[in-house]
Amino acid sequence: MKIGYPCINLSVNSGAKTFRLATYSEAKLKEVVENNIFYLNEILQFNIANGLLFLRISSGMIPFASHPVCKVDWADFYKDELKKIGNIIKKNKIRISMHPDQFVLINTPKDQVLENSISELIYHNKLLDSFGLDCTHKIQIHVGGVYDDKQLSIQRFIERYKKLPLKVKKRLVVENDDRLYSLADCLFINKKTQIPVLLDVFHHKCYNQGENMALALKKAAATWSKSDGVPILDYSSQKPHARKGNHIESINARDFADFIKNIGRKDFDIMLEIKDKEKSALKAREILKKLKKL
DNA sequence: CCATGTCAAGGTCAC
DNA sequence: GTGACCTTGACATGG
């Protein structure tokens, strides 16, 4: 069982940079990418030192990678640096995931949105390929919008998924959300496409079809094949006194321990979507040690 | 130097 | 109708 956190680390100087489209230049892109690769290594070193073997890499690694303005063959230009990072990841058995932005919607009715989404997915896959990582390193997306007709929108997801490049399909997993598409919806899509279902534990609590957590875990895990690796979970909890769906600032030790008791002997890698990032990830590791899960 | 409006991209819903 | 929210605030202009 690996514990991870998303994109940035608040203990080390994360240092990742981006810039505005208006100031785009090839030189600027190269400067920022070089910077981002350097700081990714800093985060990896922190993780290795602290036993955090799961990491979500920011989609902003290569700014504008999928935008027409970007003519730089960054994968080739930085191939040695990217391979070096990949070797560190592989040597230390770290698992990587990515989560494209909210603009990636393969079930959209709009051609332009679909085109942008596919370009963005190809970029994510290319980055993971550039590290030399296999397809257990996943890209997670949501089903998308409802567009006033949920059944039709699910059907569109299925058809669009089938037409994606093979390598993208092998990396993609679909995640239940907190309002529109539940675990049951994702499982239906899995039946038609075999896409693995990533269970977001918090979203499942927000929106479900009555499956208790133990059953939800079992059903989601069953959609992952050997080549997909250990099933991944996203874990968070409700921020007290905030709007439903807001993520908590720091992990609640008792809730997490209670949750872990549902998983039985099954293995999962857990991504903590919690505001204080690596701090909660370290706490989670301590809790797992006490429960003898590590 | 610092405050703050704005940033490639979508869609939903609480208010 | 607006704005917060979603994996993450950071950039850059104007004062």
Side-chain angles (χ1 to χ4, degrees):
Chain A
M1 181 173 297
K2 295 176 179 175
I3 299 294
Y5 59 94
C7 303
I8 59 175
N9 180 309
L10 303 169
S11 304
V12 301
N13 176 8
S14 288
K17 284 201 181 339
T18 184
F19 59 99
R20 298 294 168 81
L21 182 57
T23 62
Y24 183 92
S25 73
E26 197 164 305
K28 183 83 180 166
L29 180 79
K30 285 179 177 171
E31 176 197 323
V32 169
V33 170
E34 197 166 316
N35 172 82
N36 291 353
I37 292 172
F38 175 85
Y39 282 106
L40 174 57
N41 185 50
E42 295 285 292
I43 292 176
L44 287 169
Q45 296 308 324
F46 175 95
N47 283 16
I48 292 162
N50 290 281
L52 296 174
L53 301 181
F54 190 19
L55 178 68
R56 181 181 297 165
I57 292 180
S58 167
S59 299
M61 252 322 270
I62 319 285
F64 306 106
S66 73
H67 191 281
V69 77
C70 179
K71 305 277 196 265
V72 179
D73 188 350
W74 52 268
D76 184 59
F77 193 81
Y78 288 106
K79 71 171 181 274
D80 294 340
E81 287 89 338
L82 294 169
K83 197 164 276 176
K84 206 168 137 193
I85 291 280
N87 287 338
I88 293 168
I89 291 167
K90 286 187 280 188
K91 184 180 159 209
N92 292 283
K93 298 187 165 35
I94 293 173
R95 187 156 196 204
I96 299 297
S97 69
M98 295 191 78
H99 194 336
D101 279 306
Q102 61 269 37
F103 318 105
V104 173
L105 296 158
I106 66 169
N107 78 342
T108 178
K110 297 178 190 166
D111 291 344
Q112 187 62 57
V113 176
L114 176 63
E115 196 182 306
N116 294 348
S117 297
I118 294 173
S119 298
E120 188 70 357
L121 290 175
I122 289 171
Y123 150 61
H124 281 75
N125 177 60
K126 193 172 176 181
L127 183 60
L128 294 169
D129 274 356
S130 299
F131 291 135
L133 300 176
D134 65 31
C135 291
T136 63
H137 301 266
K138 293 299 187 188
I139 301 168
Q140 60 188 90
I141 58 170
H142 292 288
V143 180
V146 169
Y147 312 101
D148 300 321
D149 188 336
K150 189 164 168 177
Q151 282 318 306
L152 197 60
S153 297
I154 287 176
Q155 218 47 50
R156 240 185 351 259
F157 182 98
I158 292 166
E159 296 310 316
R160 299 273 175 70
Y161 172 83
K162 287 179 181 170
K163 289 183 198 154
L164 290 173
L166 182 61
K167 197 67 194 292
V168 170
K169 280 202 283 188
K170 287 176 78 171
R171 285 202 195 275
L172 265 195
V173 298
V174 67
E175 174 189 352
N176 59 307
D177 65 68
D178 59 349
R179 294 198 307 269
L180 308 177
Y181 294 99
S182 65
L183 171 65
D185 295 322
C186 292
L187 290 170
F188 173 81
I189 290 170
N190 164 264
K191 270 213 182 88
K192 306 291 179 185
T193 60
Q194 282 73 57
I195 185 172
V197 176
L198 187 159
L199 180 69
D200 186 309
V201 171
F202 180 38
H203 290 164
H204 184 69
K205 282 184 185 167
C206 294
Y207 180 47
N208 60 68
Q209 257 58 44
E211 312 91 339
N212 66 35
M213 194 54 72
L215 182 63
L217 287 164
K218 192 176 155 194
K219 286 190 167 191
T223 64
W224 292 64
S225 72
K226 194 152 195 181
S227 61
D228 295 314
V230 171
I232 297 173
L233 300 174
D234 280 358
Y235 180 89
S236 185
S237 26
Q238 174 67 38
K239 180 176 179 176
H241 317 298
R243 201 179 82 169
K244 187 180 169 187
N246 284 20
H247 290 212
I248 200 166
E249 295 292 329
S250 186
I251 194 167
N252 180 314
R254 193 195 297 171
D255 287 352
F256 185 66
D258 285 346
F259 164 71
I260 289 298
K261 286 167 192 158
N262 287 308
I263 68 175
R265 297 215 298 267
K266 186 77 197 159
D267 195 13
F268 290 96
D269 289 340
I270 304 180
M271 176 58 58
L272 299 177
E273 293 184 332
I274 296 180
K275 300 280 185 197
D276 70 355
K277 307 289 176 180
E278 78 287 350
K279 286 195 181 62
S280 284
L282 292 171
K283 283 185 199 166
R285 276 198 93 234
E286 293 308 311
I287 294 164
L288 290 175
K289 275 187 199 164
K290 276 188 202 155
L291 296 172
K292 302 196 190 308
K293 293 284 186 185
L294 280 184

